[in-house]
Amino acid sequence: MSTTSLPASDRIPALREALLSAAFTADGLLDRLGASAYAALARSETVPALRATRGESPLDTLVRLFLLQRSVPYERARAALPVEECVEDGWLRRDGDEVRATVDVRPYGGPEGEDWFIVSDLGCAVGGAGGIGSHEEGVVLGVGGASTTLAGITVREPVASALDLGTGSGIQALHASQHATRVTATDLNPRALAFTRLTLALSGAAPADLREGSLFEPVSDETFDLIVSNPPFVISPGARLTYRDGGMGGDDLCRTLVQQAGDRLNEGGYAQFLANWQHVQGEEWQDRLRTWVPRGCDAWIVQREVQDITQYAELWLRDSGDHRSDPAEYTARYEAWLDEFEARGTKAVGFGWITLRKTGAAEPSVVIEEWPHPVEQPLGPAIEAHFARQDYLRDQDDAALLAARFTLAAEVVQEQVGLPGAEDPEHVVLRQHRGMRRATKVDAVGAGFAGVCDGSLPAGRILDAIAQLMSEDPVLLRDRTPQAIRLLVEEGFLEPVRR
């Protein structure tokens, strides 16, 4: 792993052209390596990719240089790259008759098929060929599961200003450059800002306003339409590694980041984070997170995973390569993690997404839930739709809901569950195949109501017809059903017909 000076960015267009000409792209790699070897790279297994690149094509050469981080003959590199310029600018280092890459350059497909490249330190492409262990202070990681998750859940409306806080190698800034007029990227690590500059330039994106500093300090009291952050959220004893350890006690960094975001958002703006939070003895985790939500913001917080403190400590000890260190040193570091958790009364650690939206509503909506199930990425449109539904429901009393018209959301199916041969099902389930992919039980009235919602009739008239078919009192049915309609709308099964 290198922490030396970084490549220059003066002649990047020629390098980008060489990479594209050789099909050193996400699609090109899949075609060249095959699905099996391509998938093995994500598991840090390089042997299949080495076997697949034993030829001497420019693409074989680039894969070995920038993904597998192997030396190649100087003359072979000349056939794939403007090699003299790459050596002079610092992308390659010459050693006799061979050259090696000084940084990891990883093809990354944009949401509209853009050919992008993420530049990071050698051996620090998360889940990539170089592995991830034994990190030094100040290194910058490449693209990984957390960063792609955040990119997928981000709302992608065109905006005037976006802030990528804790930019790392610039992945979120790169995405934001496609729909924000002005992108600001900050990081406590000046090396990360240099990598972001390289990532944006090599990807052909517009440059960002790069600022050094912690949390919101670099932007002072500026406000933005979108804030995204994949912060150093790991709850650890100390701040040994900048890329992951926040340097505050417990989950204070994530709490501070979320609480301060409200004052940096323009009206209607979104702030979206990945975060860890403590599960503390004697406290409901939902109550803990509710105190994080800043005044004047709607919030949707989704817990995706929970680990007990031993699992959590072991995960991050492996991440830093400590499991390969001296056993006594490993034991001491493991003990330090457990001491930290014991002192704070922490019994487990949650991981998930936090989305805020600045709103002028008198009663903001705060939804906190656990959802460990698969979802459809990109989820950004579903997140935007969630907040639109909160706006709608805030303005609708029961009478308004009964007068409204609804349609069944796309790709919602009905499942009947019961014993084989039974005349009637035990219960009916509505299931989504898009977005959060929720499922909810409904009674016969709910199933019948959802089934005929095509936007042509007000909800009240549909209920009157159901009451007649089921020999129920229509007044009582109208009284008890609005809450069920509200829930189906809130969870995205029904969509209001806007007038």
Side-chain angles (χ1 to χ4, degrees):
M1 170 175 39
S2 170
T3 54
T4 58
S5 59
L6 292 175
S9 56
D10 298 340
R11 291 183 284 202
I12 281 184
L15 174 57
R16 173 175 169 80
E17 181 57 36
L19 300 181
L20 295 177
S21 295
F24 187 64
T25 62
D27 288 342
L29 287 182
L30 183 60
D31 289 343
R32 182 68 186 91
L33 300 180
S36 178
Y38 191 75
L41 280 178
R43 302 191 300 270
S44 301
E45 295 292 345
T46 62
V47 173
L50 283 168
R51 289 174 61 87
T53 56
R54 288 180 292 191
E56 297 188 1
S57 72
L59 181 55
D60 293 331
T61 299
L62 294 174
V63 170
R64 288 186 167 242
L65 274 173
F66 290 120
L67 287 187
L68 305 180
Q69 295 152 18
R70 302 300 176 101
S71 296
V72 302
Y74 184 88
E75 291 303 320
R76 181 175 165 184
R78 187 196 294 273
L81 292 163
V83 69
E84 292 86 358
E85 291 87 345
C86 286
V87 171
E88 183 178 338
D89 289 346
W91 293 90
L92 302 176
R93 182 178 67 252
R94 185 166 186 176
D95 183 14
D97 292 331
E98 294 189 326
V99 292
R100 292 185 72 97
T102 62
V103 292
D104 185 295
V105 177
R106 198 151 296 254
Y108 180 73
E112 301 297 329
E114 301 94 342
D115 290 316
W116 290 341
F117 301 95
I118 309 301
V119 189
S120 64
D121 270 311
L122 292 174
C124 293
V126 181
I132 192 173
S134 226
H135 289 323
E136 299 173 15
E137 174 68 19
V139 300
V140 178
L141 272 61
V143 65
S147 52
T148 54
T149 293
L150 179 58
I153 69 172
T154 300
V155 174
R156 297 295 175 193
E157 282 291 295
V159 294
S161 58
L163 170 64
D164 176 13
L165 193 151
T167 186
S169 53
I171 300 159
Q172 309 307 325
L174 181 57
H175 277 278
S177 71
Q178 302 304 291
H179 64 104
T181 303
R182 174 174 59 88
V183 177
T184 302
T186 70
D187 207 289
L188 183 63
N189 182 3
R191 187 174 179 81
L193 298 176
F195 269 117
T196 295
R197 181 179 292 107
L198 295 175
T199 289
L200 292 171
L202 192 58
S203 299
D209 179 5
L210 304 176
R211 305 187 196 179
E212 182 181 345
S214 177
L215 297 177
F216 289 103
E217 292 172 1
V219 298
S220 186
D221 58 355
E222 293 177 52
T223 57
F224 301 87
D225 301 312
L226 174 67
I227 299 171
V228 292
S229 183
N230 177 17
F233 53 65
V234 176
I235 299 171
S236 59
R240 186 157 61 103
L241 299 172
T242 304
Y243 75 89
R244 72 171 201 192
D245 301 325
M248 296 185 184
D251 52 19
D252 282 355
L253 182 134
C254 291
R255 176 185 56 80
T256 300
L257 183 61
V258 174
Q259 288 179 337
Q260 293 182 355
D263 291 336
R264 271 75 178 193
L265 280 176
N266 294 326
E267 192 70 21
Y270 287 89
Q272 300 188 259
F273 314 97
L274 302 184
N276 276 181
W277 43 79
Q278 298 171 137
H279 285 225
V280 178
Q281 196 73 37
E283 176 188 57
E284 294 295 331
W285 67 270
Q286 296 95 332
D287 293 339
R288 182 182 192 85
L289 290 175
R290 195 167 279 109
T291 68
W292 291 15
V293 178
R295 183 177 302 174
C297 287
D298 288 342
W300 186 17
I301 301 175
V302 181
Q303 180 167 272
R304 296 287 289 162
E305 183 180 359
V306 181
Q307 290 185 317
D308 70 42
I309 56 175
T310 58
Q311 292 174 312
Y312 189 79
E314 290 161 12
L315 168 67
W316 295 109
L317 287 166
R318 287 193 302 272
D319 167 81
S320 54
D322 290 319
H323 62 304
R324 294 193 292 267
S325 66
D326 175 73
E329 184 177 347
Y330 175 80
T331 298
R333 285 186 168 157
Y334 200 148
E335 290 275 9
W337 284 77
L338 297 184
D339 288 344
E340 173 77 7
F341 289 135
E342 183 178 340
R344 295 181 177 278
T346 304
K347 59 182 180 178
V349 177
F351 167 81
W353 319 320
I354 297 177
T355 300
L356 307 176
R357 186 189 58 161
K358 191 68 170 287
T359 176
E363 296 184 10
S365 163
V366 177
V367 176
I368 303 175
E369 63 177 321
E370 186 163 18
W371 191 257
H373 311 294
V375 300
E376 179 192 39
Q377 284 281 32
L379 196 65
I383 289 178
E384 186 176 14
H386 166 88
F387 287 95
R389 293 194 297 270
Q390 305 311 306
D391 283 343
Y392 172 81
L393 291 171
R394 240 190 307 255
D395 296 334
Q396 309 298 312
D397 59 16
D398 287 357
L401 284 177
L402 292 173
R405 301 166 191 258
F406 300 95
T407 58
L408 193 65
E411 296 190 37
V412 170
V413 298
Q414 176 179 302
E415 300 174 358
Q416 295 186 354
V417 181
L419 293 174
E423 184 175 344
D424 296 313
E426 292 180 15
H427 58 262
V428 176
V429 174
L430 299 181
R431 187 178 302 278
Q432 301 169 349
H433 287 275
R434 304 297 303 272
M436 292 290 284
R437 295 175 174 163
R438 297 185 188 276
T440 188
K441 289 183 183 180
V442 291
D443 59 15
V445 172
F449 180 84
V452 298
C453 277
D454 60 4
S456 62
L457 291 174
R461 289 190 54 190
I462 294 175
L463 290 176
D464 290 344
I466 292 174
Q468 184 175 5
L469 286 172
M470 299 181 69
S471 300
E472 290 208 30
D473 185 329
V475 175
L476 293 179
L477 193 61
R478 278 174 172 256
D479 284 345
R480 77 169 194 255
T481 306
Q483 185 56 37
I485 296 174
R486 189 175 297 275
L487 181 62
L488 290 174
V489 173
E490 182 176 351
E491 294 191 341
F493 291 93
L494 294 179
E495 297 177 349
V497 176
R498 313 258 181 185
R499 294 183 180 275

